[in-house]
């Protein structure tokens, strides 16, 4: 089961989507976790379609801060367990692996605030 995690620094910049598209084409991950999307779920749906993924969960940004998304393809089932501004926790079923738990986490960069993550 292959996964890619990437801090995209916002999909407001068209180069971000193009860069992710190139990485996905080369690495061919089943799951992609993207942080600092700076966008809402409707934009993530566009990105999912651009990358030819089957589904996604996203946590919307607040203003121009944050935003997370988990995208997948070739999974028989993906169930959201929970999410927050710091993580997306899912249970996934993939034919070649079975049922697994996949959690994408983005911790606070400021050391004094890391306990809140």
């Amino acid at each position: 089961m292959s996964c890619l995690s990437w801090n995209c620094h916002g999909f407001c910049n068209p180069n971000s989507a193009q860069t992710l598209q190139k990485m996905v084409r080369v690495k061919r991950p089943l799951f992609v976790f993207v942080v600092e999307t700076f966008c809402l779920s409707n934009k993530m749906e566009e990105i999912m379609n651009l990358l030819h993924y089957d589904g996604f969960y996203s946590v919307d940004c607040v203003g121009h801060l944050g935003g997370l998304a988990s995208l997948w393809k070739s999974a028989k089932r993906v169930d959201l367990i929970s999410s927050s501004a710091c993580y997306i926790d899912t249970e996934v079923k993939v034919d070649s692996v079975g049922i697994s738990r996949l959690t994408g986490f983005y911790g606070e960069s400021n050391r004094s605030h890391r306990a809140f993550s």
Side-chain angles (χ1 to χ4, degrees):
M1 183 167 67
S2 58
C3 303
L4 172 71
S5 180
W6 184 52
N7 184 334
C8 69
H9 299 288
F11 281 117
C12 305
N13 179 349
N15 290 334
S16 293
Q18 291 172 353
T19 301
L20 181 58
Q21 190 175 23
K22 288 177 187 174
M23 284 192 292
V24 164
R25 192 176 316 123
V26 171
K27 302 293 184 184
R28 298 192 329 247
L30 294 180
F31 297 92
V32 176
F33 181 66
V34 188
V35 300
E36 290 190 6
T37 61
F38 304 152
C39 65
L40 303 176
S41 59
N42 59 338
K43 178 65 176 178
M44 282 313 306
E45 186 170 11
E46 290 176 25
I47 300 294
M48 177 196 73
N49 291 327
L50 174 74
L51 299 174
H52 306 290
Y53 275 67
D54 301 326
F56 76 101
Y57 288 118
S58 68
V59 176
D60 291 344
C61 65
V62 178
H64 192 66
L65 297 172
L68 307 171
S70 183
L71 299 93
W72 62 86
K73 66 168 53 175
S74 303
K76 279 199 162 212
R77 191 182 83 230
V78 178
D79 295 321
L80 179 67
I81 296 171
S82 65
S83 65
S84 77
C86 296
Y87 71 88
I88 298 175
D89 188 17
T90 56
E91 183 178 86
V92 300
K93 182 174 184 188
V94 179
D95 279 338
S96 60
V97 178
I99 296 176
S100 298
R101 191 162 187 173
L102 184 63
T103 304
F105 178 80
Y106 185 59
E108 174 64 51
S109 59
N110 184 331
R111 286 180 183 242
S112 64
H113 296 135
R114 285 189 181 163
F116 300 115
S117 296

